């Protein structure tokens, strides 16, 4: 933190004053700008480049109660070798108890292992449990932790509790990166999305993430726009760059490209890399691969051409 933000979290009063002093979000303007950018058309070579970039940004995810070791290993194989010469994805994302399986499967490939520690998806657990969950996932081989904030505390205005939980989980991450999930579908207003984004960044988040994928609406374009504005403004204010990860409901190549346009036009080219922008998804990769095949051959591959996740 720079000096200008060093004392923001010194007390409940200073943190509240800062967060509520942020400029309000023009909801109509945000909706209109996101819709306008979503109409941008990308063709031929540029589209092919965008598809490969999007593939490289995917956090390939399975977060189901029925997940098995075999399913995770198969997903990891696909993450490393999506098919057709496509680039590997950025990361695989699994529950904490499956981290060791994923870590072994992707070892040496460059694909990261992310884990949804901290009582995902509700976040309703004690701080001690969240910190322990995080430490165990990191010890098992997680490179990244996707934590969920306590939305109840945030909506009650207990910003210090949310801040302190993020700080504690960040400390438990050690060298692992921390992605803070805001669960924007439960935050009610765009102003709350902006406040939660800044709160997470001040507390030390390496990434801010829209959603768990378990609550609708999830990664809408206006919400992602607001979060991209937040990371841009945060870097201007502090010199520290923070990544953004929309997750949930991103299923098609069109969805992915809309997000890339949003990044370029809002935060800028510095964020157009897997180091600073991710797409959390389970079914998106297959559509990207199908569109990639169509551009290369002029023919659509059948739905069974690629493995089903």
């Amino acid at each position: 933190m720079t000096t200008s933000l060093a004392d923001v979290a010194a007390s409940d009063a200073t943190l509240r004053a800062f967060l509520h002093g942020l400029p309000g979000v023009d909801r109509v303007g945000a909706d209109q700008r996101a819709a306008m950018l979503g109409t941008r058309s990308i063709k031929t070579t540029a589209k092919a480049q965008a598809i490969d970039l999007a593939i490289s940004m995917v956090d390939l995810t399975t977060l189901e109660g029925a997940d098995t070791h075999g399913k995770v290993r198969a997903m990891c194989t696909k993450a490393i070798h999506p098919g057709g010469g496509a680039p590997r994805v950025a990361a695989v994302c699994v529950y904490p108890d499956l981290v060791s399986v994923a870590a072994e499967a992707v070892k040496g490939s460059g694909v990261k292992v992310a884990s949804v520690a901290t009582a995902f998806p509700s976040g309703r657990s004690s701080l001690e449990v969240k910190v322990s969950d995080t430490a165990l996932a990191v010890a098992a081989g997680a490179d990244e932790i996707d934590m969920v904030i306590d939305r109840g505390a945030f909506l009650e205005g207990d910003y210090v509790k949310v801040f302190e939980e993020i700080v504690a989980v960040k400390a438990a991450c050690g060298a692992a990166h921390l992605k803070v999930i805001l669960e924007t579908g439960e935050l009610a207003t765009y102003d709350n999305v902006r406040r939660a984004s800044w709160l997470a960044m001040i507390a030390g988040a390496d990434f801010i993430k829209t959603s768990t994928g378990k609550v609708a609406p999830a990664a809408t374009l206006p919400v992602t726009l607001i979060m991209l504005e937040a990371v841009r403004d945060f870097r201007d204010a502090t010199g520290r760059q923070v990544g953004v990860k929309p997750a949930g409901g991103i299923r098609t190549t069109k969805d992915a490209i809309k997000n890339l346009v949003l990044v370029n036009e809002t935060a800028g080219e510095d964020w157009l890399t897997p180091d600073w922008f991710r797409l959390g998804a389970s079914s998106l990769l297959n559509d990207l691969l199908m569109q990639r095949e169509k551009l290369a051959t002029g023919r659509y591959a059948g739905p069974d051409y690629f493995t089903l996740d």
Side-chain angles (χ1 to χ4, degrees):
M1 261 186 283
T2 61
T3 303
S4 61
L5 288 179
D7 298 324
V8 164
S11 69
D12 177 72
T14 56
L15 187 55
R16 179 181 303 276
F18 177 82
L19 295 176
H20 284 265
L22 293 169
V25 179
D26 176 356
R27 186 178 190 96
V28 173
D31 287 344
Q32 289 180 343
R33 178 161 175 76
M36 181 271 291
L37 291 174
T39 65
R40 293 279 179 86
S41 180
I42 297 178
K43 303 293 186 183
T44 60
T45 303
K47 184 175 182 180
Q49 292 172 344
I51 287 173
D52 276 4
L53 179 58
I55 291 171
S56 75
M57 291 173 166
V58 167
D59 281 5
L60 193 58
T61 302
T62 184
L63 297 171
E64 302 299 333
D67 285 344
T68 64
H69 289 201
K71 182 179 180 181
V72 170
R73 291 191 189 100
M75 182 183 72
C76 290
T77 298
K78 184 172 182 176
I80 300 167
H81 303 291
R88 66 176 183 260
V89 306
V92 292
C93 186
V94 297
Y95 276 117
D97 63 309
L98 291 167
V99 165
S100 61
V101 177
E104 179 63 29
V106 302
K107 186 176 180 180
S109 69
V111 173
K112 304 295 186 183
V113 176
S115 183
V116 289
T118 67
F120 178 94
S122 69
R124 304 222 63 88
S125 187
S126 68
L127 178 58
E128 291 76 14
V129 168
K130 293 177 181 181
V131 168
S132 176
D133 204 20
T134 299
L136 288 170
V138 172
D143 304 294
E144 302 170 355
I145 296 294
D146 290 27
M147 78 165 284
V148 285
I149 67 167
D150 184 334
R151 283 85 74 195
F154 181 88
L155 292 170
E156 287 178 341
D158 194 351
Y159 301 133
V160 168
K161 179 180 180 182
V162 179
F163 175 87
E164 290 177 345
E165 286 199 347
I166 297 170
V167 169
V169 172
K170 173 64 176 173
C173 284
H177 282 189
L178 176 62
K179 305 194 201 87
V180 176
I181 307 171
L182 310 181
E183 197 65 289
T184 54
E186 294 184 338
L187 296 186
T189 69
Y190 287 175
D191 285 344
N192 276 343
V193 172
R194 176 167 286 171
R195 289 171 187 144
S197 297
W198 275 84
L199 176 58
M201 293 188 292
I202 293 168
D206 298 297
F207 264 74
I208 51 176
K209 177 178 172 181
T210 61
S211 323
T212 62
K214 306 296 186 182
V215 172
T220 66
L221 286 178
V223 158
T224 304
L225 170 68
I226 292 162
M227 293 170 65
L228 286 165
E229 289 176 342
V231 297
R232 177 199 66 199
D233 295 345
F234 184 80
R235 189 178 72 170
D236 288 345
T238 68
R240 185 167 76 87
Q241 188 162 333
V242 176
V244 175
K245 178 181 173 179
I250 303 172
R251 298 184 176 91
T252 69
T253 299
K254 284 185 178 180
D255 293 335
I257 290 176
K258 286 178 182 180
N259 275 277
L260 296 184
V261 170
L262 207 62
V263 174
N264 188 63
E265 297 297 323
T266 306
E269 291 184 8
D270 288 352
W271 273 266
L272 279 175
T273 162
D275 290 336
W276 301 110
F277 192 75
R278 299 284 182 84
L279 296 163
S282 55
S283 59
L284 171 64
L285 181 57
N286 270 10
D287 194 74
L288 288 166
L289 293 172
M290 289 173 68
Q291 292 294 332
R292 191 177 189 273
E293 183 75 8
K294 169 65 166 57
L295 286 176
T297 67
R299 301 183 302 275
Y300 278 108
D304 58 350
Y305 188 82
F306 302 102
T307 58
L308 298 177
D309 302 314

